[in-house]
Amino acid sequence: MTMRVSLERWGRNTLARLLGMLAPIRKMDPRDVRPLLSRPSAKILIIRPHQGLGDLLLATPTFRAIKAAYPSLEIHFLADTYNVVAIRDNPRLNKVWVWDKKRMQNPFHFWSFLRALRAERFTIAFPLASHIPSFTSYWLARFSGAKIVWAYDSSPFYGEATWSRHLANVELKNRPETDPEWVKFMELFRPLLRTSTTE
């Protein structure tokens, strides 16, 4: 079992490194990203296909904060077949995408899904993480075609996961494990908000 886990971790790190080599990313200062969201065509994708319903509900105040800061911004969310019910009818989301793991085993459906994501021309993609990041979220952010991938540093997890190093343009310092989930969700977006309020 331990060997299997080690191989999975090695495989994810290797895949992240390979993707980074094939399509190198440019690291960016968060302060240089914020003006991009004020553009009329700005659009973001928030990704969390593997998240419990309760935790995902705790992320919904971030939608309000982002929309208050950038009223014209389009907000898309990528959920999965299980947790989509938590955010499907949220009025601040312009579109909800559903990652159906079983259907994605069909190569045609998988590539059609990725092509549809890339056609949106997202400004920023955010792998949303509470205390346990999802590799799927990181590589989907990279493959979404977004100009910028904005994420927490993944190195504190899984024996130093290198995903953010190779797949994210902006890496934010990870939050302490003692932080509640809703705090970690909000702090991911805080540098992009025009004010410190979440009202």
Side-chain angles (χ1 to χ4, degrees):
M1 184 65 178
T2 302
M3 181 176 292
R4 177 184 173 184
V5 171
S6 297
L7 284 173
E8 287 179 356
R9 293 175 179 175
W10 177 85
R12 291 170 182 172
N13 282 343
T14 300
L15 181 55
R17 184 167 57 251
L18 180 61
L19 293 174
M21 291 172 58
L22 294 175
I25 58 171
R26 178 172 63 93
K27 294 297 181 179
M28 300 179 67
D29 187 309
R31 292 171 296 184
D32 296 331
V33 176
R34 187 168 140 177
L36 300 178
L37 294 183
S38 298
R39 296 178 180 178
S41 60
K43 187 184 300 185
I44 66 172
L45 176 65
I46 304 173
I47 304 170
R48 187 60 185 187
H50 310 303
Q51 182 78 57
L53 291 175
D55 287 347
L56 197 52
L57 284 172
L58 291 174
T60 57
T62 63
F63 310 157
R64 181 172 65 248
I66 297 167
K67 204 68 173 178
Y70 305 95
S72 64
L73 181 69
E74 272 196 39
I75 305 176
H76 292 219
F77 197 101
L78 196 161
D80 63 24
T81 54
Y82 168 71
N83 63 20
V84 67
V85 297
I87 47 88
R88 181 168 45 204
D89 298 320
N90 191 293
R92 294 178 179 86
L93 297 179
N94 295 87
K95 184 170 182 176
V96 175
W97 300 75
V98 179
W99 176 261
D100 187 329
K101 190 173 182 179
K102 289 183 178 179
R103 293 190 69 190
M104 294 305 167
Q105 294 175 6
N106 180 320
F108 177 79
H109 183 80
F110 174 78
W111 289 113
S112 295
F113 186 86
L114 288 185
R115 281 199 302 271
L117 275 183
R118 295 178 69 86
E120 296 288 346
R121 300 182 180 276
F122 294 108
T123 308
I124 309 177
F126 300 86
L128 187 66
S130 53
H131 293 301
I132 302 178
S134 160
F135 179 68
T136 302
S137 296
Y138 279 75
W139 74 257
L140 275 172
R142 191 74 180 97
F143 272 98
S144 71
K147 295 177 182 177
I148 298 163
V149 175
W150 177 294
Y152 278 127
D153 177 9
S154 60
S155 64
F157 301 95
Y158 304 113
E160 195 172 350
T162 60
W163 318 337
S164 60
R165 183 190 311 167
H166 300 294
L167 303 178
N169 303 89
V170 175
E171 295 178 88
L172 298 186
K173 183 178 179 181
N174 220 288
R175 302 292 303 178
E177 290 186 11
T178 52
D179 275 3
E181 279 83 355
W182 70 269
V183 170
K184 188 163 187 180
F185 292 144
M186 187 61 71
E187 292 304 315
L188 177 64
F189 300 95
R190 182 80 65 189
L192 293 170
L193 303 181
R194 290 173 177 167
T195 66
S196 61
T197 181
T198 58
E199 295 297 317

